Amino acid sequence: MIVNDGGAVPGQLVGAEPVVSRTRIRATVVEAARSEDHPDPRAERVTWRSWTWPGTVPGLQNMTTMSQSTAVTTVRFDATAETIGKTTLLRLPEKASKKLPSRGQVAVQGTIDGHRFQTVLEPDGGYGHWMRLDGKLRKTAALRAGDTATVAVEPVKDWPEPSVPQDLKSALAAAPQKIQDMWKDITPMARWEWVRWVNATLNPETRQRRVEVTISKMQSGKRRPCCFNLAGCTDPNLTKNGKLIAST
């Protein structure tokens, strides 16, 4: 998006780069957090830059399609495994997290100490990310709390399927066919969001209400939960005020 500080920006396209008249403008470079068909502005990262022209606007011809990074970037880092309650995880270093295309969840594939894996990185509520180390991955990489791992990840567009909790699974099975068809039709990313929303509470009554609201919202055509901070840490066993807590 281009915003002119002094009015309309006259200009024409010359070759591949747009040329504008002498004026001072601002350009926002947006890295969208969600999919191209369902962007989520709450988790976007925006960088303001200013130039004085005449001249060209770098990348202006691509600005309207920057919902995903234009090239797959491998993010490399070292991190120490830690435990919070019964969960073993890695916190991504700030520099590594900043290279990811979203402040929310990011589906990735990569290696940990040379062993390949695929997962969904979780937001920590502080503009960073963390990675869950399940038992299989810990065993494969021979990792325990306190061990430092060398990790390389790259974002992918094809998300793995979430693990749907039994209460939501039962509610979907009992729902009208229209809702069952919609659940199959929405993207895996959207299914992750519904599952996150239902799981983001330890209160049984609140959880039951969220299961019911999920069915109700989908009945009315909603494909994603609304009013939900996608950049917050939503695991109720690991979060306080929406942020990942310290290790135990």
Side-chain angles (χ1 to χ4, degrees):
M1 177 178 65
I2 300 298
V3 181
N4 179 13
D5 287 341
V9 181
Q12 59 181 344
L13 293 179
V14 179
E17 292 283 351
V19 177
V20 297
S21 63
R22 181 178 297 276
T23 183
R24 188 166 185 82
I25 66 174
R26 297 181 299 166
T28 58
V29 180
V30 178
E31 294 176 316
R34 313 314 300 167
S35 64
E36 293 181 1
D37 55 332
H38 293 288
D40 176 19
R42 289 173 298 182
E44 290 174 346
R45 184 167 77 243
V46 178
T47 301
W48 284 97
R49 298 173 182 167
S50 298
W51 298 276
T52 300
W53 305 107
T56 59
V57 182
L60 177 58
Q61 69 275 16
N62 297 323
M63 296 287 281
T64 59
T65 59
M66 290 184 62
S67 59
Q68 297 280 350
S69 297
T70 55
V72 175
T73 301
T74 300
V75 180
R76 305 178 189 278
F77 60 91
D78 290 339
T80 301
E82 60 183 86
T83 58
I84 302 177
K86 297 180 179 180
T87 301
T88 305
L89 56 89
L90 295 176
R91 296 177 193 256
L92 273 67
E94 182 179 355
K95 289 183 178 180
S97 186
K98 284 183 176 180
K99 295 177 182 179
L100 296 172
S102 168
R103 297 306 91 205
Q105 287 183 312
V106 180
V108 298
Q109 63 183 12
T111 60
I112 179 167
D113 287 344
H115 301 280
R116 295 201 61 80
F117 70 94
Q118 183 178 14
T119 192
V120 173
L121 302 179
E122 296 283 348
D124 65 5
Y127 305 106
H129 295 84
W130 59 278
M131 172 180 158
R132 190 185 302 273
L133 300 175
D134 61 22
K136 181 179 179 181
L137 188 55
R138 292 199 309 273
K139 183 177 180 180
T140 299
L143 278 176
R144 296 180 298 177
D147 293 341
T148 297
T150 297
V151 184
V153 297
E154 60 183 40
V156 295
K157 291 185 177 180
D158 296 329
W159 283 52
E161 286 295 332
S163 177
V164 181
Q166 188 58 52
D167 50 0
L168 179 57
K169 187 182 295 185
S170 297
L172 288 166
Q177 189 63 44
K178 170 186 174 181
I179 296 176
Q180 296 183 37
D181 291 342
M182 178 181 287
W183 181 259
K184 295 176 182 178
D185 184 59
I186 61 178
T187 63
M189 182 190 295
R191 289 192 283 271
W192 270 91
E193 290 177 11
W194 286 115
V195 169
R196 282 184 73 196
W197 185 59
V198 168
N199 282 338
T201 179
L202 292 175
N203 185 299
E205 294 181 359
T206 300
R207 183 184 180 94
Q208 178 58 34
R209 186 163 59 250
R210 290 186 178 186
V211 170
E212 295 169 355
V213 169
T214 296
I215 302 302
S216 175
K217 291 292 186 182
M218 293 186 70
Q219 177 70 40
S220 65
K222 301 294 185 183
R223 300 172 71 88
R224 279 181 146 89
C226 66
C227 307
F228 176 42
N229 181 12
L230 297 170
C233 180
T234 55
D235 188 321
N237 295 302
L238 306 178
T239 185
K240 182 177 182 181
N241 299 325
K243 295 186 177 182
L244 182 65
I245 61 178
S247 60
T248 55

